[in-house]
Amino acid sequence: MSLIQPNQYFSIKDILVTEERVSSEVRQPMPNLGFLCSSSKKEHLDPGSKLDIPVWLASSLSSKHKSIVSCELPRFYKDSYKEILHADACAVELNKWNQYFYELGLILPPIVKDDNQQIPELLLEVFKSRFRLIMDCEQSVFGAHSIQVQLTALEKQLLKQGNQGKMLLINWLNKGVKHIQTSDVVDNLRKRKRMEV
């Protein structure tokens, strides 16, 4: 299973998302890879050894057919952090937890076997509550700069697109609507109706 889609192979965002390290435990012996575990002085990695590996590597090593490692959820998706998010997701500086909080949460369920069913619901709930905050800040003159500190990459992109949309609307309204003309289709339809009568 590949995490990055073929048309997004050179996407910097996808590369950065899959660079997040997850805690994993070796399930099968791995010869000549003892150097990967800094606390071990053995030449080989034995079952039960703990490693922090990037998500892109974890996805290959924890495939359905031959699971070499078992991975844990990152701490900010676990129950203690879920309680914080359920209490008030808008007060949390998600970018300090992970700049790509939503994107990482979407690719974790196939890799992490335990407690992964609730991640999509959590992401949706957090996004809904924070989306209102982003929309309020986009409408406010002073709010956008103060809130950007706590936004993730996706939320910053939404705020930027909202600002661009607002500016386009203001420019259109300032131009005025002096030259609205009837469409040729509507005009022809009126002529047909007159001819029928």
Side-chain angles (χ1 to χ4, degrees):
M1 178 189 82
S2 175
L3 294 175
I4 299 175
Q5 301 299 323
N7 59 348
Q8 299 173 344
Y9 183 77
F10 294 110
S11 169
I12 298 299
K13 183 187 83 170
D14 288 341
I15 293 170
L16 291 173
V17 169
T18 57
E19 277 297 311
E20 177 70 26
R21 293 183 171 270
V22 290
S23 179
S24 54
E25 183 178 339
V26 177
R27 299 176 117 190
Q28 298 180 13
M30 300 173 74
N32 300 322
L33 292 177
F35 64 91
L36 291 177
C37 185
S38 58
S39 63
S40 174
K41 296 181 181 175
K42 297 179 181 178
E43 185 179 349
H44 310 295
L45 278 178
D46 298 325
S49 301
K50 300 276 187 182
L51 293 174
D52 284 341
I53 58 176
V55 170
W56 61 265
L57 181 59
S59 68
S60 299
L61 295 177
S62 64
S63 65
K64 293 178 182 177
H65 304 295
K66 189 175 182 182
S67 184
I68 298 172
V69 297
S70 61
C71 301
E72 293 180 17
L73 276 173
R75 59 180 167 73
F76 43 84
Y77 295 113
K78 292 190 177 178
D79 290 335
S80 57
Y81 284 81
K82 283 181 189 176
E83 290 173 10
I84 295 170
L85 290 172
H86 287 304
D88 188 8
C90 295
V92 177
E93 293 185 13
L94 276 183
N95 68 334
K96 288 188 178 178
W97 290 7
N98 189 302
Q99 186 66 27
Y100 299 101
F101 180 79
Y102 300 105
E103 294 90 339
L104 181 63
L106 290 175
I107 62 175
L108 278 178
I111 299 167
V112 181
K113 306 298 186 254
D114 301 328
D115 299 328
N116 62 358
Q117 301 302 321
Q118 298 172 351
I119 294 176
E121 291 101 21
L122 172 72
L123 294 176
L124 183 61
E125 183 182 325
V126 170
F127 183 76
K128 281 181 184 177
S129 61
R130 290 177 67 92
F131 185 72
R132 288 190 205 109
L133 175 71
I134 294 167
M135 292 302 294
D136 291 344
C137 291
E138 190 272 320
Q139 297 298 323
S140 169
V141 176
F142 305 107
H145 297 294
S146 62
I147 198 69
Q148 277 192 333
V149 177
Q150 66 183 26
L151 299 180
T152 65
L154 176 67
E155 294 167 342
K156 286 178 185 175
Q157 183 181 359
L158 283 174
L159 184 63
K160 181 180 175 185
Q161 288 175 344
N163 285 331
Q164 289 172 347
K166 183 171 76 173
M167 292 309 297
L168 288 171
L169 177 63
I170 290 170
N171 289 339
W172 182 78
L173 290 173
N174 288 337
K175 283 182 183 177
V177 287
K178 298 174 187 170
H179 305 292
I180 293 180
Q181 298 177 349
T182 306
S183 168
D184 292 339
V185 175
V186 173
D187 201 23
N188 290 337
L189 185 65
R190 286 182 187 165
K191 286 179 185 176
R192 281 188 213 147
K193 284 185 180 180
R194 275 190 230 139
M195 290 172 67
E196 289 173 3
V197 173

